[in-house]
Amino acid sequence: MKVYAKLNTSEQLIDGSTGDSLPFDGYIKMLSQRPADGDWHAKLDGLWHKGDPAIEDAFISEQMRVIADELLKHDDDDDSAIATRAAWIEYRKALRKWRFEQNINYPDPSFRPIQPQ
């Protein structure tokens, strides 16, 4: 029995046929069926990973707003700025990398980049 899943979703197809072709564009061959418990999403490595991409995308959008505000504080020499300008820029880069489909840990929130303090 073969298991296919649509990348970055919890959608799976179980196929009992013997052919090796993928059922639809955007599907990948999985190493196992999706676990029954929790929120699992298919990744390029053929494994199921925990997390919800919609929640992580919302988290990233909110963090980008925080970063923009902190960078403006640095531009204005505001004493309430947290961390350094360089730390916020590195955090912004890390969030962008976090979102890529090739990141096999996305969208598991336990692997999120850490916000500067």
Side-chain angles (χ1 to χ4, degrees):
M1 175 171 20
K2 295 180 181 126
V3 179
Y4 301 95
K6 190 168 184 180
L7 189 61
N8 285 330
T9 72
S10 60
E11 185 178 334
Q12 76 175 352
L13 295 173
I14 299 172
D15 178 18
S17 74
T18 58
D20 283 336
S21 63
L22 297 176
F24 301 106
D25 285 340
Y27 280 76
I28 58 173
K29 188 171 182 181
M30 301 300 290
L31 299 176
S32 66
Q33 289 187 34
R34 181 185 63 237
D37 65 323
D39 191 17
W40 296 88
H41 292 80
K43 298 305 287 185
L44 285 172
D45 61 2
L47 298 173
W48 294 98
H49 294 261
K50 280 196 168 202
D52 183 343
I55 290 172
E56 288 308 296
D57 287 347
F59 167 77
I60 291 168
S61 293
E62 175 59 28
Q63 291 303 296
M64 290 297 185
R65 286 189 288 277
V66 170
I67 292 166
D69 188 45
E70 288 299 320
L71 290 174
L72 281 173
K73 287 179 185 179
H74 282 283
D75 290 346
D76 296 340
D77 292 324
D78 187 330
D79 291 339
S80 69
I82 300 169
T84 65
R85 179 177 185 75
W88 287 108
I89 291 170
E90 287 304 311
Y91 181 54
R92 182 172 58 194
K93 290 177 188 176
L95 285 171
R96 280 195 204 111
K97 288 179 183 176
W98 173 234
R99 182 177 266 160
F100 290 134
E101 289 181 6
Q102 293 83 2
N103 182 342
I104 62 170
N105 294 315
Y106 182 84
D108 184 340
S110 65
F111 289 94
R112 285 177 177 169
I114 305 299
Q115 184 186 67
Q117 300 295 319

